[in-house]
Amino acid sequence: MNNKGIGSIFCLIAAVLTAARYMAAAIFMSNVSSWDAGLFASGLEYIGPELRDLMAAADILISRAGANAICEILALRKPNILIPLSAEASRGDQILNAASFEKSGYSVVIQEKDVTNELLLKTVNDVYTNREQYIHAMDKSQLNNSIEKIVGLI
């Protein structure tokens, strides 16, 4: 996986959201530690163990579409925008994950090659405005209550 590619998309997101005064929305979900601190001159910092609290407090999330990320999003019932890694930068699993979540009504997907300032801001506003529809779709998910399902099988 190309960590610099991951970083560039989230730097773009941070810049767009900061410029639009969505400072609280710009949370980074990456373990990359080699980026130059100057990239984050706007005051954004890496998030550590408190990420779960920030995710729970967020109105919407913007994320890649890895298995861990989408499971956390579904468990938290957070309206979201997924930007999967491209097929050139991955095995293609994130593209499939994102398509599945979008088809189920849980997410809006923007392909990395299609991200522009205008599209990102429009999508953030649209997802925020329609957030209840995404929460409702996730509430109906058959992937909920896994512990109860496992116990029921035993």
Side-chain angles (χ1 to χ4, degrees):
M1 185 180 326
N2 180 343
N3 287 339
K4 291 186 186 241
I6 294 170
S8 64
I9 194 71
F10 285 104
C11 286
L12 169 66
I13 291 168
V16 170
L17 295 178
T18 300
R21 306 284 190 252
Y22 283 106
M23 186 63 149
I27 298 173
F28 290 92
M29 294 179 62
S30 177
N31 293 324
V32 177
S33 60
S34 62
W35 294 338
D36 185 314
L39 290 174
F40 304 100
S42 64
L44 299 172
E45 296 180 6
Y46 291 102
I47 306 301
E50 65 276 6
L51 177 61
R52 67 178 162 260
D53 299 323
L54 292 170
M55 288 176 69
D59 292 315
I60 68 169
L61 300 173
I62 301 173
S63 177
R64 290 295 191 181
N68 288 341
I70 63 171
C71 287
E72 290 171 0
I73 288 168
L74 182 58
L76 290 169
R77 310 284 193 282
K78 290 295 175 177
N80 63 90
I81 300 165
L82 297 176
I83 305 174
L85 279 172
S86 68
E88 294 80 29
S90 71
R91 301 177 309 267
D93 56 313
Q94 290 197 14
I95 296 168
L96 297 173
N97 292 346
S100 172
F101 262 50
E102 186 170 51
K103 182 178 178 182
S104 297
Y106 308 157
S107 305
V108 171
V109 175
I110 304 175
Q111 298 303 323
E112 186 171 348
K113 65 179 176 45
D114 299 330
V115 175
T116 63
N117 296 358
E118 295 79 18
L119 178 60
L120 182 60
L121 277 177
K122 178 186 179 317
T123 307
V124 165
N125 286 321
D126 290 348
V127 170
Y128 182 80
T129 299
N130 299 304
R131 62 192 178 279
E132 291 302 322
Q133 117 187 7
Y134 298 102
I135 294 168
H136 181 69
M138 287 183 271
D139 281 340
K140 295 188 314 184
S141 170
Q142 297 298 311
L143 302 174
N144 297 329
N145 305 318
S146 58
I147 294 175
E148 291 175 20
K149 289 179 182 176
I150 293 169
V151 169
L153 291 172
I154 297 174

